[in-house]
């Protein structure tokens, strides 16, 4: 396991070097429970027929292995608990536990060729406008008590946004800084496999060396970091055609997801930890006082998405797990609302965006929601889709489209459809 970790591979129990979810100023070693003991999810081991077919497929002689995997499945947390800090957090000291490498170099050439300062400034503007709209929407969130609403506003205000590329740790525009960053790495012009192993070991060594040290808030993490309360949009995402024509949709899929899942997954007894401080989690005691409407609304979301279903490779109907996908479903709904409003305000100030010819029969609002559907449209194979039902905190792509527009007052007004159920 130590060798696998050193070379960047994933052993049975995987390790991550990351900011502590309770004390984000400290880098810790995070040990993940096994997600796939053998079969795609722990629920598969509850199905006698599936286990029998599994044994026949691999080899009857490996009964001990299947028994071992079944025990691992029992120890594996439910997928819906993987992001609940009150369920997975179990702090140990280092003494009790045990006594990206070339991407930045390539990124340096990429941003010179494909990303300008103007694009970076516009990305900042779009993110900021969506954050402001989200804060505005909190004023009408009747499921929040005044105390929670105030904390939520502070949380959104203090989301650190990193747009385009890092300018420290390392500075991808500074050749000397990049040289120093990669100084311990030895690269050969003739040994591809050796280079891959060297880079994996360099990356693993660098990450392990951070354990127990203060968090480097200048370093970049992909997308949203719950612990550090920051959101990242690499330059490659902010490119045509999607970002050029649909900047608010392209970014809205992530920006509102920063504060929303943290709030939507709260329970009446969840402590204020991980949700209240300016720059991330806190150890302040107490619980969130919440109004009765919020206790009801999650069940509506859960029931709505639990009605979506897919067919497995064996033509079995599998229903979306509404509780597992709750946080992301609320984030998608809030993101569409925030991005639509921010888009309208942007056009009011800067003028109307250019539209493609051939769509004159549709209003601008209708095109916005059609673009939303196109942005999320995806096709997934039956086997992969079935596995995601058990593991993925996101609903299938078609459900993310149909669910969000069904919950959108703006969509219903644009297409003149009556509003039923959740309408934001």
């Amino acid at each position: 396991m130590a060798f696998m970790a050193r070379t960047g591979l994933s052993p049975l129990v995987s390790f991550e070097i990351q900011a502590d979810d309770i004390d984000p100023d400290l880098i810790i070693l995070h040990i993940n429970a096994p997600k796939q003991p053998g079969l795609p999810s722990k629920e598969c081991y509850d199905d006698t027929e599936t286990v029998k077919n599994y044994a026949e497929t691999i080899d009857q002689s490996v009964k001990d292995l299947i028994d071992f995997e079944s025990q691992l499945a029992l120890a594996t947390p439910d997928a819906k608990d993987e992001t609940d800090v009150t369920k997975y957090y179990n702090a140990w000291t280092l003494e009790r536990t045990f006594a990206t490498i070339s991407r930045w170099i390539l990124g340096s050439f990429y941003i010179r060729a494909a990303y300008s300062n103007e694009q970076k400034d516009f990305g900042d503007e779009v993110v900021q406008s969506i954050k402001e709209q989200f804060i505005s929407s909190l004023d009408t969130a009747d499921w929040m008590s005044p105390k929670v609403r105030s904390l939520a506003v502070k949380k959104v205000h203090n989301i650190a946004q990193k747009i385009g590329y890092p300018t420290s740790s390392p500075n991808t525009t500074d050749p000397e800084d990049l040289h120093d960053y990669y100084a311990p790495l030895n690269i050969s012009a003739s040994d591809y496999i050796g280079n891959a192993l060297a880079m994996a070991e360099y990356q693993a060594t660098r990450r392990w060396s951070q354990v127990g040290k203060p968090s480097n808030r200048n370093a970049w993490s992909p997308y949203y970091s719950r612990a550090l309360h920051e959101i990242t949009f690499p330059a490659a995402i902010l490119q045509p055609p999607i970002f050029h024509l649909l900047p608010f949709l392209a970014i809205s899929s992530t920006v509102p997801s920063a504060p929303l899942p943290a709030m939507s997954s709260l329970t009446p007894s969840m402590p204020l930890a991980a949700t209240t401080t300016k720059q991330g989690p806190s150890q302040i005691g107490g619980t969130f006082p919440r109004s009765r409407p919020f206790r009801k609304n999650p069940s509506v979301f859960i029931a709505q998405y639990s009605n979506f279903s897919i067919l497995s490779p064996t033509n079995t109907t599998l229903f979306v797990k509404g509780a597992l996908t709750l946080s992301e479903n609320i984030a998608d709904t809030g993101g569409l609302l925030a991005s639509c409003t921010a888009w309208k305000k942007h056009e009011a100030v800067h003028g109307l965006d250019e539209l493609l010819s051939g769509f004159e029969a549709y209003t601008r609002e209708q095109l916005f929601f059609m673009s939303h559907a196109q942005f999320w449209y995806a096709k997934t194979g039956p086997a992969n889709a079935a596995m995601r039902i058990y593991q993925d905190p996101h609903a299938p792509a078609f459900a993310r489209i149909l669910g969000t527009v069904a919950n959108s007052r703006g969509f219903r007004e644009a297409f003149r459809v009556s509003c039923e159920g959740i309408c934001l």
Side-chain angles (χ1 to χ4, degrees), residues 164-191:
Y165 50 87
T167 55
S168 62
S169 300
N171 181 351
T172 53
T173 63
D174 184 351
E176 290 187 6
D177 195 28
L178 286 172
H179 177 272
D180 294 341
Y181 187 84
Y182 290 112
L185 176 63
N186 294 316
I187 294 294
S188 168
S190 58
D191 187 359

Side-chain angles (χ1 to χ4, degrees), residues 121 178 187 271 296 360 379 417:
D121 292 340
L178 286 172
I187 294 294
K296 178 181 178 181
E360 291 79 8
K379 185 173 179 61
V417 180

Side-chain angles (χ1 to χ4, degrees), residues 106-125:
L106 294 175
S108 176
F109 292 100
Y110 179 82
I111 59 178
R112 294 178 197 174
Y115 197 68
S116 66
N117 290 333
E118 290 75 16
Q119 288 175 292
K120 189 177 189 301
D121 292 340
F122 183 52
D124 274 311
E125 178 188 341

Side-chain angles (χ1 to χ4, degrees), residues 37-304:
L39 291 171
S41 70
K42 63 178 294 181
E43 288 84 357
C44 293
Y45 291 90
D46 297 329
D47 188 331
T48 305
E49 188 66 21
T50 297
V51 174
K52 177 183 176 182
N53 292 337
Y54 177 45
E56 292 175 350
T57 299
I58 52 177
D59 193 331
Q60 285 285 7
S61 65
V62 293
K63 180 179 182 301
D64 290 344
L65 173 62
I66 296 177
D67 289 342
F68 175 62
E69 291 178 358
S70 299
Q71 293 300 313
L72 286 177
L74 291 175
T76 301
D78 293 335
K80 64 182 176 62
D81 293 334
E82 290 179 1
T83 58
D84 186 342
V85 69
T86 65
K87 300 288 182 64
Y88 69 74
Y89 192 86
N90 183 23
W92 283 14
T93 63
L94 284 176
E95 290 77 11
R96 185 180 179 188
T97 306
F98 50 77
T100 325
I101 167 62
S102 58
R103 62 186 184 189
W104 296 134
I105 295 178
L106 294 175
S108 176
F109 292 100
Y110 179 82
I111 59 178
R112 294 178 197 174
Y115 197 68
S116 66
N117 290 333
E118 290 75 16
Q119 288 175 292
K120 189 177 189 301
D121 292 340
F122 183 52
D124 274 311
E125 178 188 341
V126 173
V127 173
Q128 187 60 37
S129 63
I130 294 178
K131 285 168 59 177
E132 291 172 357
Q133 175 52 37
F134 181 76
I135 290 172
S136 177
S137 69
L138 292 175
D139 294 335
T140 59
D142 59 358
W143 51 272
M144 284 184 169
S145 69
K147 180 179 179 180
V148 174
R149 186 178 295 111
S150 176
L151 292 171
V153 170
K154 292 179 181 178
K155 185 176 180 70
V156 177
H157 269 307
N158 289 282
I159 294 175
Q161 56 192 62
K162 297 178 176 179
I163 306 296
Y165 50 87
T167 55
S168 62
S169 300
N171 181 351
T172 53
T173 63
D174 184 351
E176 290 187 6
D177 195 28
L178 286 172
H179 177 272
D180 294 341
Y181 187 84
Y182 290 112
L185 176 63
N186 294 316
I187 294 294
S188 168
S190 58
D191 187 359
Y192 178 84
I193 297 299
N195 288 341
L197 292 174
M199 287 189 290
E201 185 165 358
Y202 166 83
Q203 181 180 3
T205 300
R206 190 176 189 89
R207 291 179 62 82
W208 279 83
S209 68
Q210 298 170 2
V211 176
K213 296 179 180 179
S215 296
N216 180 0
R217 293 186 179 272
N218 293 321
W220 275 39
S221 301
Y223 305 110
Y224 176 63
S225 169
R226 179 181 285 106
L228 295 177
H229 199 48
E230 64 185 24
I231 192 164
T232 304
F233 285 98
I237 291 179
L238 309 177
Q239 296 294 322
I242 291 180
F243 186 73
H244 177 66
L245 296 175
L246 310 169
F248 288 91
L249 280 175
I251 285 188
S252 69
S253 62
T254 308
V255 173
S257 301
L260 271 168
M263 298 170 194
S264 61
S265 60
L266 296 176
T267 62
S269 60
M270 179 173 281
L272 290 175
T275 54
T276 60
T277 63
K278 292 190 297 182
Q279 293 183 318
S282 168
Q283 298 188 57
I284 301 174
T287 57
F288 276 103
R290 296 184 299 158
S291 59
R292 185 171 296 176
F294 179 69
R295 297 192 184 98
K296 178 181 178 181
N297 285 347
S299 64
V300 177
F301 270 98
I302 292 172
Q304 176 193 13

